[in-house]
Structures are given as structure tokens and as C-alpha cells.
Amino acid sequence: MSERSALERRIRAWLILFVVCLVLSGITAFPLVSELRWSNALIDNIWLQRVGEGLDRADADYPFLLYGTDWLAFAHLVIAVFFYGVYRDPVRNIWIVEAGMIACAGVVPLALICGPIRGIPFWWSVIDISFGVFGVIPLLVLRRMIKRLEAETAATS
């Protein structure tokens, strides 16, 4: 196997890992009410109980509010679709990886600004921030490998 094809295989493996995590993160936003009931049955945490009560109440009295989390889930799925461009042509579509990195960086100020405004405990904002921090890791690896692939392609042309 040539160096180029091995690099392409590694790029695709990292890409698939990232997309699977993105999709899983998104689809968990659909069943929030049942997820919180399940979590509260397993974990005794005051904040999770409060969130669960809020979701139960919203679901019973204002179910249209949960439509916002449906759109959140949908947005994750749509973003995942864009990464198909990277799968097809990593060098040409590296901008998608870079846009994903910017989005991951944007999680930090969003959590630090909106969290306190919405009454979210700081430790929960740290959990939210971790999605951006851990999300950017495979994207950084992907970007580095795509740059190597680009250099190798230029050298052989």
C-alpha cells in the first residue's frame, strides 16, 4: 500500500469517527425527556433533577419548546452531511474541517456567556465546553493529515 493511500485511509477513519460522534451527539437531543428520566433514575443529582422537572413540565404544558432541541439535533445531522465532502476530496474540502474547528472553538464563549445568563451551573458549562475541546482534537488530526496529503500530492505532480 502506498503512503498516499495509507494516509487517505487514516483520514477517512478519523473522519468517520468524528461524524459518528457528531451524529450521536445530535440524535441524543431528540429524546431529552426520556433521557433525563432515565438519568435521574440512575443518578442522584439536584441539577439533573431540576432539568428533568423542567423538561417534564415543558413537555406537558409547552411541548413546542422542545421543538428547539429537535432543530439542534437536525443541525448536527446536517453538519455531519457536509463532512461527506471531506470524505470525497479531503484536500479540496479542507475548509469544512477548518469550519468545524471554528465551530468547536465557538462552543467555549457560547457556554461561558450564555450559561450564566440562563442560570446554568459553571460545572455544566465546563461539560458543554468539553464537547468543543474534544471535538476539535480529531479535526486537528484530520487537518494535519490533509495538509500532508496535499504536500505529497504536490510533490508527485
Side-chain angles (χ1 to χ4, degrees):
M1 180 184 306
S2 73
E3 174 67 25
R4 178 184 167 86
S5 62
L7 190 52
E8 287 172 342
R9 286 178 55 112
R10 286 195 306 273
I11 288 169
R12 288 193 170 128
W14 277 94
L15 186 60
I16 289 168
L17 171 70
F18 179 79
V19 168
V20 166
C21 290
L22 185 62
V23 167
L24 289 174
S25 175
I27 61 175
T28 61
F30 283 119
L32 281 182
V33 175
S34 56
E35 285 175 342
L36 259 293
R37 287 181 186 150
W38 177 75
S39 296
N40 281 319
L42 294 175
I43 302 168
D44 184 26
N45 179 279
I46 293 170
W47 173 250
L48 286 180
Q49 289 171 0
R50 182 170 184 223
V51 172
E53 290 168 8
L55 284 172
D56 282 339
R57 192 163 169 200
D59 190 36
D61 299 337
Y62 311 102
F64 52 86
L65 290 175
L66 297 176
Y67 190 51
T69 60
D70 296 336
W71 281 105
L72 170 70
F74 178 70
H76 278 76
L77 301 177
V78 169
I79 292 166
V81 169
F82 280 97
F83 281 90
Y84 179 65
V86 181
Y87 188 86
R88 288 184 57 202
D89 189 343
V91 173
R92 184 174 175 193
N93 293 308
I94 193 171
W95 68 271
I96 298 169
V97 172
E98 293 168 341
M101 293 167 62
I102 292 167
C104 287
V107 169
V108 177
L110 179 79
L112 293 175
I113 294 167
C114 295
I117 291 171
R118 301 290 185 207
I120 306 298
F122 179 72
W123 62 268
W124 194 266
S125 293
V126 171
I127 291 170
D128 290 337
I129 289 168
S130 73
F131 281 91
V133 171
F134 289 118
V136 80
I137 292 170
L139 295 176
L140 286 167
V141 172
L142 274 167
R143 186 178 187 283
R144 187 184 69 213
M145 287 190 295
I146 292 169
K147 286 293 189 181
R148 280 183 35 213
L149 181 63
E150 180 180 37
E152 187 171 306
T153 302
T156 58
S157 295

Coordinates of all heavy atoms in Angstrom, one line a residue, residues 97 101 133 135-145:
V97 N -13.3 21.0 7.4 CA -12.6 20.7 8.6 C -12.3 22.0 9.4 O -12.5 22.0 10.6 CB -11.4 19.9 8.4 CG1 -10.5 19.7 9.6 CG2 -11.7 18.5 7.7
M101 N -13.5 23.3 13.1 CA -12.7 23.7 14.2 C -13.1 25.0 14.7 O -13.1 25.3 16.0 CB -11.2 23.8 13.6 CG -10.6 22.4 13.3 SD -9.1 22.5 12.3 CE -8.0 23.4 13.5
V133 N -13.8 21.1 23.0 CA -12.4 20.7 23.2 C -12.1 19.3 22.6 O -11.2 19.1 21.8 CB -12.0 20.8 24.7 CG1 -10.6 20.2 24.9 CG2 -12.1 22.2 25.2
G135 N -14.1 17.7 20.5 CA -14.5 17.7 19.1 C -13.4 18.2 18.2 O -13.2 17.8 17.1
V136 N -12.6 19.2 18.7 CA -11.5 19.8 17.9 C -10.3 18.8 17.7 O -9.6 18.9 16.7 CB -11.1 21.2 18.4 CG1 -10.1 21.0 19.6 CG2 -10.5 22.0 17.3
I137 N -10.2 17.9 18.6 CA -9.0 17.0 18.5 C -9.0 16.2 17.2 O -8.0 16.2 16.5 CB -8.9 16.1 19.8 CG1 -8.6 17.0 21.0 CG2 -7.9 15.0 19.6 CD1 -8.7 16.3 22.3
P138 N -10.0 15.5 16.9 CA -10.0 14.7 15.6 C -9.9 15.7 14.4 O -9.3 15.3 13.4 CB -11.2 13.9 15.6 CG -12.1 14.5 16.6 CD -11.3 15.2 17.6
L139 N -10.4 16.9 14.5 CA -10.4 17.8 13.4 C -8.9 18.3 13.2 O -8.5 18.5 12.1 CB -11.3 19.0 13.6 CG -12.8 18.6 13.6 CD1 -13.7 19.8 13.9 CD2 -13.2 17.9 12.3
L140 N -8.2 18.6 14.3 CA -6.8 19.0 14.2 C -6.0 17.8 13.6 O -5.1 18.1 12.7 CB -6.3 19.3 15.6 CG -6.7 20.6 16.2 CD1 -6.4 20.7 17.7 CD2 -6.1 21.8 15.5
V141 N -6.3 16.6 14.0 CA -5.5 15.5 13.4 C -5.9 15.4 11.9 O -5.0 15.2 11.1 CB -5.9 14.2 14.1 CG1 -5.4 12.9 13.4 CG2 -5.4 14.2 15.6
L142 N -7.1 15.5 11.6 CA -7.6 15.5 10.2 C -6.9 16.6 9.4 O -6.4 16.3 8.3 CB -9.1 15.7 10.1 CG -9.9 14.4 10.2 CD1 -11.4 14.7 10.4 CD2 -9.7 13.5 9.0
R143 N -6.9 17.8 9.9 CA -6.3 18.9 9.1 C -4.8 18.6 8.9 O -4.3 18.9 7.8 CB -6.5 20.2 9.9 CG -6.0 21.4 9.1 CD -6.2 22.7 9.9 NE -5.9 23.8 9.1 CZ -4.7 24.3 8.8 NH1 -3.6 23.6 9.3 NH2 -4.4 25.3 8.0
R144 N -4.1 18.2 9.9 CA -2.7 17.9 9.8 C -2.4 16.8 8.7 O -1.6 16.9 7.8 CB -2.1 17.4 11.1 CG -0.5 17.3 11.0 CD 0.0 16.8 12.3 NE -0.4 15.4 12.4 CZ -0.7 14.8 13.6 NH1 -0.5 15.4 14.7 NH2 -1.0 13.5 13.6
M145 N -3.3 15.7 8.7 CA -3.1 14.7 7.7 C -3.5 15.2 6.3 O -2.8 14.8 5.3 CB -3.9 13.5 8.1 CG -3.4 12.7 9.3 SD -4.2 11.1 9.6 CE -5.8 11.6 10.0

